[in-house]
Each structure stands twice: as structure tokens, then as C-alpha cells.
């Protein structure tokens, strides 16, 4: 699927109505199209987990999205997202 500026606000809003996964892992392996808005959603999810006193691991991030995180200097927010 896609997570871009076109749908990021809706995805983030929808995620607020759901509990974070018990496993502490969100798998983005099915993400085929993403932009900087996807990074913003991911960072918001990580901040939410920290606020709730939980850890959250993001897995399956496409290499292009990890590269974009480096360009924006936010890769440290996603350090556990190497897979």
C-alpha cells in the first residue's frame, strides 16, 4: 500500500483510535509507496509509544524510506527499523 501526504493525516487519525500492538511491533513490509509524510506518521507513533511508556519497533521499512530518514536527519528516531 501507500502512505503519502495524500493519506497520512487520515492514517494518523485512524491510528489514534486503536491501541498500540501488544507485540510492540508494527510491520511496514507491505508499504510500496511512501514519502516524508510516512516518516511523520512513524515518528508520531514512536512518540505516542514513548508517552505511553512502551517501546515500539517499526519493521519492514523500504530502503528508500530509510534513506529519506537519513536525508532529513531523523534516522535516530527509527534506529530499530533496520529490517
Amino acid at each position: 500500500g501507500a502512505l503519502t501526504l495524500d493519506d497520512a493525516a487520515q492514517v494518523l487519525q485512524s491510528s489514534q483510535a486503536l491501541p498500540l500492538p501488544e507485540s510492540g511491533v508494527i510491520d511496514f513490509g507491505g508499504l510500496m509507496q511512501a514519502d516524508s509524510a510516512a516518516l511523520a506518521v512513524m515518528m508520531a507513533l514512536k512518540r505516542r509509544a514513548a508517552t505511553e511508556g512502551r517501546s515500539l519497533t517499526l519493521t519492514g521499512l523500504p530502503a528508500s524510506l530509510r534513506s529519506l530518514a537519513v536525508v532529513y536527519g531523523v534516522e535516530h528516531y527509527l534506529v530499530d527499523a533496520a529490517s
Side-chain angles (χ1 to χ4, degrees):
L3 182 53
T4 65
L5 185 59
D6 292 336
D7 52 11
Q10 179 62 40
V11 168
L12 184 59
Q13 182 179 13
S14 295
S15 74
Q16 297 302 315
L18 301 170
L20 292 172
E22 287 294 321
S23 67
V25 176
I26 298 176
D27 183 2
F28 287 93
L31 191 60
M32 300 300 169
Q33 183 181 6
D35 60 18
S36 59
L39 289 176
V41 169
M42 292 172 187
M43 290 189 305
L45 290 169
K46 296 281 277 185
R47 282 191 304 270
R48 176 181 166 197
T51 299
E52 293 179 13
R54 302 187 53 198
S55 64
L56 185 65
T57 301
L58 309 177
T59 64
L61 297 182
S64 60
L65 192 58
R66 291 192 308 265
S67 295
L68 188 58
V70 171
V71 168
Y72 282 115
V74 297
E75 70 277 8
H76 58 282
Y77 289 111
L78 306 175
V79 292
D80 55 356
S83 56

